[in-house]
Amino acid sequence: MHFLFLFLTAAVQGVLGEVEEVTAKPGDDILLSCPVNTEVCGDFHSLKWYREDSRVYVYSPLAQFSNGEGALGERGTLIVTNTSADLKIFPVELRDEGEYRCEITYLDISNNCPVVHFTDVRTVAAPESLTIVDSNDEDITGQVVGPYAEGSEVAFSCQSGGGKPEPAMSWMFGQEIVEGETTVSEDTETGSVTVTSLLVVRLDREHSGAALTCRVEHEILDEPLNAQIQVDVNVPVSSVSIAAEVSGQAGVDMRITCTTIGGRPAPTVFWIMPDTVQFQLEESSSLLDDETFESISKMMFTPSSEENTKEVSCQAINDIMDEALEDRAELIIEYAPQVNVEEGNTTVTAGDEVTIECEVDANPAELSDVQWFHNDIALDVNEDRFEWENTATPSLSISPAQPGDAGEYSCSAGNKVGQARSPLTFRLLVTAAVNSVTIQDGLTGNEDEEMTIVCTAEGASPAASIDWIVTEELIFEVEEEIQLMADGTFETTSRLKFTPSKELNELEVTCQALNDVMAEALEDKAELNIIYPPIVTMEEGNKTVDTGEELIIECIIDANPRNLTLVQWYHNGNAVDTNDDRYQWDTNELASLSINHAEAADSGEYYCLAENAVGQGRSEDILNIDIIAVVESVMIEHEAGTAGEEMVITCVATGGHPAAAITWTVPEMVIYSAEEEVQILEDESFVTISKLTVTPSAEENEKKVSCQAINDVMNEPVEYETELDILYKPIVSIEEENKTVTAGDQVTLVCLVDANPMNLSLVEWYHNEDLIDDNEERYEDGNPEAPSLTIKAILPEDAGDYYCLAHNHVGQSRSNMSVSLQVIYPPEVEIRKDPTAPVSEEDDMNVTLHCDLIGGNPLELVRVSWFMNGELIRQLPDPHCDQLQQLESEEIFDEEFISEAGDYEVGSGVDDSGIIDIGSGMEMGSAVNPDGGVNVNYLCDVDPTELFLQHVTRAFSGHFSCSGSNMAGEGPVSESVDLDVLYLPGQAVISQEEEEAQKGGSVTLQCQLEDQGNPVAKEYIWTKGEDILAETSANLTLHNIAVDSQGNFSCAGVNDLGQGEGGSLQLIVFAPQTFVQSLPETSTFVSHDTDFNLQCEVECFPLCSIQWMKDDEVITLDDDRYFIEEEITPEDVEANQFQSVSSKLSWNLENLPDNKLDHDDLNFTVSCFVEETEIGAGISSSTEIEIEYGPENLDISTTFVSIEENERIQPIFCSGEGVPEPSVVWKFNDQEVTAENTLDFSEPIKRKQGGDYSCHVSNEHGEEVVNVTIDVLYKPECTIDYTLEEEEVVLVCTAEANPQDVQFWWEKDNITFDGQNSEDTLESLVRLKIMNESIGTYYCHVSNSVGKGEPCMIELTEWMMTKGLSEEVIVILIAVAGSVIVLLIIIVITACLYCGERKEKGGKANMKKNKSKSPLLKDDQLHADSSFYENLPFKGLKSPPKQVLDDPKSDMMDYADADYLDIYANGPLKYREASEKNATLRRKKLEERKAVKSELL
């Protein structure tokens, strides 16, 4: 057995071909290949095709038989060639799937040829149907299903049929993917597959209005198939809220809004208000996005203050709720204050505190104004006595009370609502004691003149009486007067009259006042002021005082008024001078005279006088004063004289009392005489004068002399000593020693002068009898201030004899001797050169300099110093020669000395000698070349007057001079001689004046020479590359620098000898960033256009970088919302443009929402900018972007309007967004109606105006259209026609109406009956037998939901019925008609009886009433009043319309789902969309209605 299996396996493997696969759809034709190889394998006997195990085709070439079998039948065709026997199947059916094989039976089986070939056929087909069914297997695809109660479980099935293989099926509820239970079944006959997915969901609030979608995906479908239903879920109200604003004002209508959210069906809203409130309700409902309702109930009422703080409740309930949901709020009613003040009378005493109560009830309680009134006059709140607060109890506090406060008081208060005043008043009575008693000010009277004193008592109620208290000796009279004041108090005035004496001055007077309410009198006191003239007294007798002491004389004054207008002292009958500081006294009662530092003149008689406003008086007594004094001072005068002339010296002794005596003390050997004289001064003191006469000599000058003075009251004399001042002419002497000085030195010649005065008026010096001009700078002093003469920088000509002369105002004299001055001075030289002409460095010449002696003392040269440009370059003989003379030894010529001597060649000199180096080409004397051997004699034994310059170069150019030396020193340097060595200009260096050369600017290149050459370079050669430039100055300025300005610049200096060595500079030109292409001021883009960009190009060198910015945000390269492309453009010399960078900014719309620019960002600014660099400031270019787009977001106030004919339709608003602003055109039947955004009908609507209106919103970027359907409803209009059919007359009533759901009934002789109504046309037929009873007037009545139309009539006459009939037929008809009439009478009677019976039973059949009825139904009603249904949009309609009706009453419209019959109806199709649209319009478009012609609801 195993052996056979292995053999068969091997055999099959040897004869099998490859397995092919074919996929086909129903209707395709397929070709299944079966290869045959008759050349190799020979002819075959037969060929059979199998599908699985069933044979479907057989072919035998030998039997000439070819036939399809089984399921394939005639759809199979065999195509046979020498190489194949292919099976063609057409058309393919789904059941054709399977494994097909062809089996070949060759006649010769020894060739081992393949005899079996397999082909797998796979059939595929897209699903033919996709439906959703409910639990009753009803197709609900595309419908709104429900409503279902929240929390219920609902099953839905999705069925996909006709496809193959089975598709992938999925569910999506809203945005949520849900899983169903899937089953698959196959139709064995057709091969199609049916897939069913059962979905059981538990419904909640979020599912209300959600779409339930069943999706099928199949391999041959480009897009999945979708079946969808909308699930309607009833849910309870989720929230009830009363608007937070529940405040109002009393007497002002207010509205409280209660909002219920989340209920479905819409709830019923109830209000619970205080019993006193009468209110009205306004209710509306709108559908929310989650398919639940938002119901708004607005309660309108007029509140009073009583409703303040009362509670209001809003309750909402719908069909699926067991109890209502409630929200409560407290009413806040604002009202004007209600003011009450206590009523009554009160009497108080002035000064007491009075409080008057006032109560205010107000809301808000914050009172803006509380005011009290006194006798209807508002009290001043700023008066300190009145105090009240802006509170609910603004009591008035009066403290202290005054009599004027008596009267009536009322209170008013205000808040932001209003103001009110208390209707009642409070009466206040005030009594008062005397408030004040006042005696008049200034009780002043004149002695012996009658005077009156007034006393006033104020503020009393009742009036006061006044009493006076005075001295018993006073005789007086009293007058009294009482007066009522404005404040209700009394004023009592009392006048006291009497004649005063001076004894009454300062007498106290008392005035007392008392009334009935006072226990003690109130009084005032005052002093009398009796005025009289001064009474003056002073001490009497004699008084002696020393001079210099302080003298005080007392004077006592009694007067009234005390303020004296004058106090005057008298001395010896003369008024004392008040301007003399020594005399002081006060102008008051004690006017004592104070004499400071008494003098003799103060002796004599003194008395005092005083004066006031009344008069004056003087002292009757006189005081005698005696003053004694010592000598105050002694002074010698005229102590100056002139030698040899008589002089008088005076001694004066001043101030003595009695007079003084004078004595003299003088130098020995002085002969003199004296005289004395005594004088009396104005101050009664004495002056003693003594005069001393003497003839002085010069020797008495500055000698001492003194005088002494003494009188009888002195113990010691007063002395004065001084020196004599004797004038004499100068006594002149001079140094006798002669002087020898060196020229240039300084010498001082001393002149000694003795004189008085020493302030000499003249000092003169003479040289060899010639007067010296001391104004010359060389001379110092030699003048009266400094007689000695100093000669600075002695000159040779200063040698000679000198003497001096001095002079003062007494006289002059000269020195009796002179001094001799000898001057030696250095030599004076001049320099010359050989040759005298300029030499050239190029000629390699020698030059000899000569220093010639032209002056000096002694006249010889011991050394010559040579100078170049003022600097010492050589001394000859060499200073080293002095060392040689000192050493006097041959050792001097050792190698060290020779080395040192070599150092002293020109250019080295002696260490620290200050000699500068000018090169080694300078020799002296013998002109030996320095390249030869060293000759020691050469350094010292030379002619110092010659300097030999070898191989002269530019280093020798300069000013040469020399100076010589003799024993007097070195002489002045000679005038210089110029050695002018000519040479070429030096190396040139080019510098750039500006830091950077910038395009369009200027740059200056400066050619600077290391050496200007000699002669100085007068011009320059400039080249750029190989080109010689025209510029010949040192500065080359390039203007308007361009690209071609760059390059290598060279320059060289040129003088008369030729061109010097040149220098070069590579000029680099920079280009500051400059826009080649900037942004336009504005740019307009279309939001969805992919081909828009902005481009900036900036020229800059070095290369810069362009950045982009949107508004204030920099756009980075990694921002995938944009593309930034950058390109470098090389410099263009011809266009004068440096290299530039170009940057292009474009938008990557693929990464933007909706692949377009944001329409909420229509205007923004885009800038390209380059930041500041070292080359230039930052630059920026901006463009204002304006985004335009085609119309979108079309908005229409309604999409369906149902209106009765001849009513006015509300304007329909249509708008859309777009830039530029789109235009709006309304069209009807492709004809333009209006080009405004409002479709407005000025006249009542007509039926011909009903239909579809399209709103076209367009701009240059596109057009969008939205439609609105206007359904014009009108009552039926009918016509009646008739036809004769055999023995009948057929009346046909044809109606025209909208809506077309009409009711027909016929009437004849006030009897109504129904006709035969057509289901397809608006027609009603009545068939009448041709008989007399049929004659008459027939009315056809037609009505629809709009109302009943005018009936149409036809008068059916005999002629109309007999028209065209034979007489026999007419007779027969008349007979039949009679029978019919009898029968009709019987029927009418029977019908009347039946109708009467029904009327007695209440009309219609009994119906079971619902125990739970709508509150709108009356007790005996099952249905609402017909007036209610008149307001329903579906009244009279057989089926709901496809669109929501737009009732003119809008939100006030009652809907069929109202809770009137406790039955919920889901409403018309598209209810949610229409309601949502309505709600959106009302909520969002109120402000936009200003643009329409007339205002929308």
Side-chain angles (χ1 to χ4, degrees):
M1 186 67 178
H2 294 290
F3 174 79
L4 179 59
F5 175 77
L6 292 175
F7 172 76
L8 289 176
T9 301
V12 170
Q13 291 176 347
V15 298
L16 289 178
E18 295 181 356
V19 178
E20 294 182 2
E21 293 184 356
V22 176
T23 300
K25 295 181 290 184
D28 291 349
D29 59 342
I30 58 175
L31 191 66
L32 309 182
S33 64
C34 181
V36 295
N37 191 349
T38 55
E39 293 182 0
V40 177
C41 302
D43 295 333
F44 55 88
H45 172 270
S46 63
L47 184 145
K48 296 179 284 293
W49 276 94
Y50 293 89
R51 176 182 175 274
E52 304 295 346
D53 295 331
S54 300
R55 192 170 69 184
V56 295
Y57 206 94
V58 62
Y59 169 71
S60 175
L62 296 179
Q64 296 182 350
F65 178 80
S66 178
N67 187 42
E69 299 178 352
L72 198 57
E74 296 180 354
R75 294 184 299 110
T77 303
L78 193 66
I79 302 174
V80 181
T81 65
N82 291 333
T83 58
S84 65
D86 299 336
L87 177 61
K88 178 179 180 181
I89 304 175
F90 176 77
V92 173
E93 297 178 355
L94 286 178
R95 59 181 179 172
D96 293 336
E97 182 175 279
E99 183 184 65
Y100 287 77
R101 70 179 184 276
C102 69
E103 295 181 358
I104 308 169
T105 303
Y106 289 96
L107 297 176
D108 185 359
I109 63 173
S110 62
N111 293 324
N112 196 26
C113 290
V115 296
V116 179
H117 185 79
F118 290 91
T119 300
D120 284 340
V121 175
R122 180 170 173 267
T123 58
V124 295
E128 296 176 355
S129 63
L130 183 64
T131 59
I132 299 177
V133 299
D134 58 13
S135 57
N136 297 324
D137 287 336
E138 291 184 5
D139 185 356
I140 58 175
T141 307
Q143 299 182 18
V144 178
V145 297
Y148 303 102
E150 181 183 23
S152 61
E153 287 190 349
V154 183
F156 300 102
S157 295
C158 182
Q159 295 178 352
S160 171
K164 188 175 181 298
E166 65 181 82
M169 183 175 289
S170 61
W171 291 90
M172 179 171 286
F173 206 169
Q175 300 299 318
E176 180 184 4
I177 298 175
V178 293
E179 298 291 336
E181 182 179 347
T182 303
T183 59
V184 180
S185 62
E186 184 176 356
D187 187 339
T188 57
E189 183 176 346
T190 63
S192 63
V193 175
T194 299
V195 179
T196 302
S197 178
L198 175 63
L199 176 67
V200 179
V201 293
R202 182 179 182 84
L203 299 177
D204 54 27
R205 179 181 299 273
E206 287 72 18
H207 292 140
S208 181
L212 178 62
T213 304
C214 175
R215 171 172 292 186
V216 166
E217 296 176 309
H218 195 272
E219 62 183 76
I220 66 172
L221 291 176
D222 294 332
E223 297 290 339
L225 293 179
N226 292 314
Q228 192 178 77
I229 61 173
Q230 187 174 348
V231 180
D232 192 3
V233 180
N234 281 350
V235 295
V237 176
S238 61
S239 69
V240 176
S241 62
I242 297 176
E245 186 61 38
V246 289
S247 61
Q249 285 188 9
V252 179
D253 292 345
M254 69 176 289
R255 175 180 298 186
I256 302 177
T257 301
C258 177
T259 303
T260 67
I261 297 176
R264 185 172 181 87
T268 301
V269 179
F270 302 97
W271 288 89
I272 300 176
M273 293 287 290
D275 295 338
T276 58
V277 176
Q278 299 294 325
F279 61 89
Q280 295 178 345
L281 296 179
E282 180 182 302
E283 296 182 340
S284 63
S285 295
S286 59
L287 199 62
L288 302 178
D289 292 341
D290 62 357
E291 294 298 326
T292 61
F293 285 89
E294 178 186 64
S295 296
I296 299 176
S297 178
K298 298 178 181 179
M299 177 181 64
M300 288 78 71
F301 67 101
T302 303
S304 65
S305 60
E306 296 179 0
E307 279 76 61
N308 186 40
T309 70
K310 295 295 179 65
E311 188 177 66
V312 60
S313 170
C314 174
Q315 298 179 346
I317 189 169
N318 66 6
D319 290 347
I320 67 168
M321 298 171 64
D322 294 332
E323 59 183 19
L325 197 61
E326 182 182 25
D327 188 24
R328 297 172 181 268
E330 184 179 273
L331 293 176
I332 302 174
I333 307 302
E334 295 181 343
Y335 49 91
Q338 299 172 355
V339 185
N340 291 305
V341 67
E342 63 177 320
E343 184 179 16
N345 299 323
T346 297
T347 300
V348 298
T349 301
D352 291 349
E353 180 177 353
V354 181
T355 300
I356 305 175
E357 301 294 337
C358 178
E359 294 183 354
V360 180
D361 178 22
N363 188 28
E366 294 78 16
L367 302 179
S368 59
D369 182 23
V370 175
Q371 182 64 56
W372 278 90
F373 295 86
H374 175 216
N375 295 333
D376 290 333
I377 299 175
L379 293 180
D380 185 1
V381 69
N382 295 318
E383 186 172 342
D384 294 339
R385 294 191 308 111
F386 303 122
E387 181 178 350
W388 67 86
E389 297 179 351
N390 287 356
T391 63
T393 56
S395 299
L396 172 63
S397 174
I398 305 175
S399 178
Q402 297 179 357
D405 297 331
E408 294 184 346
Y409 287 83
S410 61
C411 174
S412 72
N415 60 8
K416 69 177 185 178
V417 179
Q419 188 154 350
R421 185 168 168 181
S422 60
L424 302 177
T425 60
F426 178 85
R427 183 168 182 81
L428 179 66
L429 300 177
V430 181
T431 61
V434 175
N435 181 46
S436 65
V437 176
T438 307
I439 298 176
Q440 71 179 62
D441 294 333
L443 301 184
T444 301
N446 292 325
E447 182 182 18
D448 298 330
E449 294 181 5
E450 185 180 80
M451 66 179 293
T452 300
I453 304 174
V454 179
C455 177
T456 303
E458 297 177 341
S461 180
S465 61
I466 294 178
D467 293 327
W468 290 90
I469 300 176
V470 295
T471 180
E472 294 179 355
E473 292 79 8
L474 182 64
I475 300 173
F476 59 89
E477 296 178 358
V478 176
E479 296 178 356
E480 192 170 88
E481 179 184 347
I482 297 175
Q483 184 178 359
L484 178 63
M485 308 306 291
D487 61 357
T489 62
F490 293 92
E491 180 182 271
T492 302
T493 302
S494 178
R495 294 177 174 83
L496 177 69
K497 296 182 179 182
F498 62 98
T499 300
S501 64
K502 67 179 181 180
E503 288 76 20
L504 296 180
N505 186 42
E506 298 182 353
L507 175 69
E508 185 177 71
V509 178
T510 302
C511 171
Q512 294 182 338
L514 182 71
N515 70 355
D516 296 341
V517 297
M518 299 172 63
E520 294 181 356
L522 190 64
E523 66 180 26
D524 187 22
K525 296 182 178 182
E527 284 186 355
L528 293 177
N529 181 29
I530 307 303
I531 60 176
Y532 49 90
I535 301 172
V536 183
T537 59
M538 61 176 292
E539 61 180 311
E540 60 179 346
N542 298 318
K543 182 180 288 187
T544 300
V545 178
D546 291 338
T547 301
E549 291 184 358
E550 181 179 7
L551 174 62
I552 297 176
I553 306 173
E554 291 185 352
C555 178
I556 300 173
I557 302 171
D558 177 22
N560 190 27
R562 290 185 175 87
N563 51 333
L564 303 175
T565 59
L566 175 67
V567 173
Q568 180 63 56
W569 280 91
Y570 289 86
H571 176 217
N572 295 331
N574 299 318
V576 176
D577 186 2
T578 58
N579 294 321
D580 192 335
D581 293 339
R582 293 193 310 114
Y583 302 106
Q584 294 181 359
W585 66 85
D586 294 329
T587 307
N588 53 32
E589 296 174 354
L590 185 60
S592 299
L593 172 64
S594 173
I595 303 175
N596 185 23
H597 195 79
E599 298 176 351
D602 296 330
S603 299
E605 296 180 347
Y606 287 85
Y607 67 87
C608 176
L609 179 145
E611 183 179 291
N612 65 1
V614 181
Q616 64 176 223
R618 59 160 284 179
S619 60
E620 296 179 356
D621 300 321
I622 295 176
L623 179 65
N624 290 313
I625 303 296
D626 186 20
I627 307 297
I628 61 174
V630 299
V631 176
E632 292 181 358
S633 65
V634 177
M635 179 177 292
I636 296 177
E637 299 175 349
H638 312 117
E639 66 270 27
T642 303
E645 297 179 1
E646 185 179 83
M647 62 180 291
V648 177
I649 304 174
T650 302
C651 178
V652 179
T654 305
H657 195 277
I662 296 176
T663 60
W664 288 89
T665 301
V666 296
E668 295 181 358
M669 304 303 292
V670 174
I671 299 173
Y672 65 90
S673 63
E675 295 178 359
E676 190 171 281
E677 177 187 356
V678 177
Q679 300 176 354
I680 300 175
L681 301 179
E682 293 181 358
D683 62 356
E684 302 298 327
S685 63
F686 294 93
V687 174
T688 302
I689 302 172
S690 177
K691 296 181 178 180
L692 181 70
T693 303
V694 64
T695 300
S697 65
E699 287 76 12
E700 278 78 57
N701 185 44
E702 298 181 351
K703 294 295 177 66
K704 303 287 186 180
V705 61
S706 66
C707 71
Q708 299 86 29
I710 190 169
N711 67 4
D712 295 341
V713 297
M714 298 172 63
N715 296 322
E716 295 291 339
V718 178
E719 181 179 12
Y720 185 86
E721 183 181 66
T722 186
E723 290 183 350
L724 293 177
D725 181 16
I726 306 303
L727 304 181
Y728 53 91
K729 66 182 182 180
I731 302 172
V732 183
S733 63
I734 195 169
E735 290 182 348
E736 298 179 359
E737 182 180 358
N738 295 326
K739 295 180 181 291
T740 300
V741 295
T742 301
D745 290 348
Q746 177 175 300
V747 65
T748 300
L749 305 179
V750 179
C751 178
L752 302 175
V753 179
D754 177 23
N756 187 27
M758 276 302 294
N759 52 335
L760 304 177
S761 59
L762 178 66
V763 171
E764 294 178 338
W765 278 90
Y766 291 84
H767 175 217
N768 297 330
E769 299 300 330
D770 294 327
L771 179 64
I772 295 176
D773 185 2
D774 59 1
N775 291 323
E776 291 187 19
E777 292 183 357
R778 293 194 311 113
Y779 298 107
E780 186 176 282
D781 299 334
N783 52 46
E785 288 77 20
S788 297
L789 176 66
T790 299
I791 305 174
K792 297 182 292 185
I794 289 292
L795 299 177
E797 55 266 28
D798 292 331
D801 294 330
Y802 291 84
Y803 68 87
C804 68
L805 178 147
H807 184 279
N808 63 5
H809 73 272
V810 180
Q812 69 177 21
S813 61
R814 56 163 286 180
S815 60
N816 53 2
M817 299 292 291
S818 64
V819 62
S820 179
L821 184 65
Q822 181 71 25
V823 179
I824 62 174
Y825 56 92
E828 181 180 353
V829 297
E830 65 180 6
I831 189 170
R832 57 188 173 87
K833 69 173 180 175
D834 184 23
T836 59
V839 297
S840 173
E841 186 180 57
E842 306 298 322
D843 296 339
D844 193 23
M845 295 178 63
N846 300 327
V847 175
T848 300
L849 302 177
H850 301 273
C851 189
D852 299 331
L853 178 64
I854 60 174
N857 185 22
L859 194 62
E860 64 177 356
L861 290 176
V862 296
R863 175 173 290 119
V864 175
S865 298
W866 294 91
F867 299 89
M868 179 181 178
N869 296 329
E871 299 289 340
L872 180 64
I873 60 172
R874 194 56 157 163
Q875 288 182 340
L876 297 178
D878 196 295
H880 203 69
C881 294
D882 295 336
Q883 300 178 17
L884 294 176
Q885 295 174 0
Q886 294 174 6
L887 290 175
E888 296 180 350
S889 171
E890 293 184 357
E891 295 179 358
I892 188 65
F893 301 105
D894 60 12
E895 293 182 358
E896 179 181 357
F897 177 78
I898 294 173
S899 175
E900 291 182 5
D903 292 339
Y904 297 144
E905 295 292 332
V906 173
S908 59
V910 181
D911 291 343
D912 300 326
S913 66
I915 300 176
I916 65 171
D917 184 2
I918 64 169
S920 60
M922 189 179 298
E923 297 297 337
M924 290 69 67
S926 61
V928 177
N929 192 303
D931 293 338
V934 174
N935 186 347
V936 175
N937 292 330
Y938 166 78
L939 297 172
C940 299
D941 187 14
V942 295
D943 181 1
T945 63
E946 291 186 353
L947 182 65
F948 185 65
L949 307 179
Q950 283 186 320
H951 311 294
V952 173
T953 65
R954 72 185 67 183
F956 289 91
S957 294
H959 307 295
F960 286 85
S961 57
C962 65
S963 67
S965 299
N966 61 11
M967 62 178 295
E970 186 174 5
V973 178
S974 68
E975 293 291 331
S976 64
V977 62
D978 291 340
L979 178 57
D980 190 9
V981 182
L982 307 180
Y983 55 91
L984 294 173
Q987 172 74 47
V989 177
I990 300 178
S991 63
Q992 185 173 319
E993 185 173 308
E994 290 77 12
E995 184 177 352
E996 296 163 346
Q998 295 192 2
K999 177 184 177 182
S1002 299
V1003 65
T1004 299
L1005 303 182
Q1006 296 178 334
C1007 187
Q1008 299 173 334
L1009 303 179
E1010 293 180 353
D1011 193 321
Q1012 291 291 321
N1014 190 19
V1016 174
K1018 296 181 179 179
E1019 64 179 32
Y1020 294 79
I1021 295 178
W1022 286 91
T1023 59
K1024 180 185 178 187
E1026 300 298 329
D1027 300 328
I1028 298 177
L1029 305 179
E1031 182 63 57
T1032 59
S1033 68
N1035 294 334
L1036 173 63
T1037 300
L1038 303 177
H1039 298 286
N1040 195 20
I1041 298 175
V1043 177
D1044 58 1
S1045 300
Q1046 301 181 104
N1048 186 276
F1049 289 81
S1050 301
C1051 76
V1054 178
N1055 64 5
D1056 294 341
L1057 300 182
Q1059 177 178 327
E1061 186 175 354
S1064 63
L1065 171 72
Q1066 184 69 31
L1067 179 64
I1068 299 175
V1069 179
F1070 295 91
Q1073 42 267 34
T1074 306
F1075 279 110
V1076 177
Q1077 178 182 355
S1078 59
L1079 297 176
E1081 184 176 347
T1082 59
S1083 301
T1084 301
F1085 295 158
V1086 180
S1087 63
H1088 60 274
D1089 190 354
T1090 58
D1091 186 21
F1092 58 81
N1093 58 73
L1094 297 173
Q1095 188 160 345
C1096 282
E1097 184 177 356
V1098 176
E1099 175 190 30
C1100 53
F1101 180 79
L1103 200 63
C1104 53
S1105 176
I1106 299 177
Q1107 300 184 62
W1108 292 89
M1109 179 183 291
K1110 178 178 179 290
D1111 291 333
D1112 296 328
E1113 177 186 2
V1114 176
I1115 300 174
T1116 59
L1117 292 175
D1118 57 357
D1119 193 334
D1120 60 4
R1121 297 173 296 173
Y1122 306 93
F1123 295 117
I1124 298 179
E1125 304 173 50
E1126 196 167 86
E1127 181 180 353
I1128 308 300
T1129 302
E1131 67 180 28
D1132 186 346
V1133 177
E1134 293 182 358
N1136 188 26
Q1137 182 170 318
F1138 286 79
Q1139 62 182 4
S1140 61
V1141 58
S1142 176
S1143 180
K1144 182 169 72 174
L1145 174 69
S1146 55
W1147 276 254
N1148 183 8
L1149 296 184
E1150 293 182 357
N1151 287 338
L1152 297 181
D1154 300 327
N1155 296 333
K1156 64 180 181 181
L1157 296 180
D1158 188 359
H1159 291 181
D1160 292 332
D1161 189 13
L1162 296 182
N1163 295 289
F1164 53 88
T1165 301
V1166 174
S1167 306
C1168 65
F1169 67 95
V1170 177
E1171 294 181 339
E1172 180 180 3
T1173 65
E1174 295 180 355
I1175 304 303
I1179 60 174
S1180 175
S1181 177
S1182 300
T1183 181
E1184 293 292 332
I1185 303 296
E1186 298 178 355
I1187 304 301
E1188 296 186 354
Y1189 57 91
E1192 64 180 20
N1193 298 332
L1194 266 62
D1195 193 4
I1196 191 168
S1197 57
T1198 183
T1199 57
F1200 184 84
V1201 177
S1202 180
I1203 186 170
E1204 293 185 12
E1205 187 177 24
N1206 295 320
E1207 289 188 355
R1208 289 190 178 272
I1209 187 171
Q1210 295 296 324
I1212 300 173
F1213 175 80
C1214 175
S1215 65
E1217 298 176 359
V1219 177
E1221 183 177 359
S1223 61
V1224 178
V1225 173
W1226 283 92
K1227 291 185 179 181
F1228 179 58
N1229 295 333
D1230 294 329
Q1231 298 295 320
E1232 181 176 325
V1233 177
T1234 179
E1236 298 182 1
N1237 61 347
T1238 303
L1239 179 60
D1240 197 359
F1241 295 88
S1242 59
E1243 300 296 332
I1245 195 76
K1246 300 299 182 183
R1247 67 186 69 179
K1248 66 179 180 180
Q1249 294 175 290
D1252 291 331
Y1253 288 78
S1254 58
C1255 173
H1256 298 254
V1257 182
S1258 63
N1259 61 12
E1260 61 188 70
H1261 302 301
E1263 180 182 69
E1264 293 291 331
V1265 180
V1266 63
N1267 295 326
V1268 59
T1269 299
I1270 299 179
D1271 188 14
V1272 180
L1273 309 179
Y1274 52 90
K1275 295 182 289 185
E1277 295 180 357
C1278 64
T1279 58
I1280 301 177
D1281 199 1
Y1282 74 97
T1283 58
L1284 299 177
E1285 295 181 2
E1286 297 181 354
E1287 297 180 355
E1288 292 180 331
V1289 176
V1290 179
L1291 301 181
V1292 179
C1293 180
T1294 304
E1296 179 184 356
N1298 186 26
Q1300 294 183 353
D1301 183 11
V1302 298
Q1303 294 179 348
F1304 287 92
W1305 70 94
W1306 291 83
E1307 179 185 357
K1308 182 177 182 289
D1309 299 332
N1310 294 324
I1311 297 175
T1312 59
F1313 55 93
D1314 293 332
Q1316 298 177 359
N1317 298 335
S1318 171
E1319 295 183 357
D1320 300 326
T1321 60
L1322 298 182
E1323 292 180 344
S1324 178
L1325 284 70
V1326 174
R1327 296 181 179 274
L1328 302 175
K1329 294 295 185 180
I1330 297 176
M1331 55 194 310
N1332 289 334
E1333 288 79 2
S1334 298
I1335 297 174
T1337 301
Y1338 290 83
Y1339 293 91
C1340 175
H1341 297 270
V1342 189
S1343 67
N1344 61 6
S1345 60
V1346 180
K1348 179 176 176 293
E1350 291 295 327
C1352 50
M1353 62 161 293
I1354 186 171
E1355 183 85 27
L1356 190 59
T1357 63
E1358 180 180 354
W1359 178 83
M1360 293 168 61
M1361 289 192 299
T1362 59
K1363 183 180 179 181
L1365 298 180
S1366 63
E1367 293 182 1
E1368 291 82 0
V1369 174
I1370 291 175
V1371 171
I1372 295 172
L1373 289 176
I1374 292 173
V1376 173
S1379 302
V1380 171
I1381 289 172
V1382 174
L1383 181 59
L1384 286 175
I1385 292 172
I1386 297 172
I1387 293 173
V1388 169
I1389 294 172
T1390 304
C1392 289
L1393 294 174
Y1394 177 73
C1395 290
E1397 184 181 356
R1398 288 187 61 187
K1399 185 174 182 181
E1400 292 176 358
K1401 293 182 178 180
K1404 298 183 180 180
N1406 293 331
M1407 296 180 64
K1408 184 177 181 181
K1409 294 184 179 180
N1410 192 334
K1411 295 181 179 180
S1412 176
K1413 296 194 304 180
S1414 168
L1416 296 178
L1417 298 181
K1418 298 178 181 178
D1419 293 338
D1420 58 348
Q1421 285 183 321
L1422 290 174
H1423 302 281
D1425 291 339
S1426 60
S1427 61
F1428 162 69
Y1429 289 102
E1430 290 290 340
N1431 197 31
L1432 293 180
F1434 310 132
K1435 178 178 179 294
L1437 299 182
K1438 183 177 293 184
S1439 60
K1442 300 303 183 183
Q1443 301 289 341
V1444 175
L1445 299 182
D1446 188 4
D1447 190 271
K1449 299 179 181 176
S1450 188
D1451 283 349
M1452 296 301 295
M1453 180 174 65
D1454 293 311
Y1455 287 89
D1457 57 357
D1459 190 25
Y1460 291 118
L1461 295 178
D1462 301 319
I1463 299 174
Y1464 177 76
N1466 186 47
L1469 295 177
K1470 301 293 184 180
Y1471 178 78
R1472 176 182 180 275
E1473 296 179 11
S1475 298
E1476 191 175 53
K1477 197 70 173 182
N1478 252 347
T1480 303
L1481 278 172
R1482 294 189 180 93
R1483 185 170 59 249
K1484 296 182 179 179
K1485 298 299 182 180
L1486 286 176
E1487 293 299 326
E1488 297 179 8
R1489 292 179 177 172
K1490 297 178 181 179
V1492 299
K1493 287 183 178 179
S1494 58
E1495 187 176 357
L1496 293 172
L1497 286 175

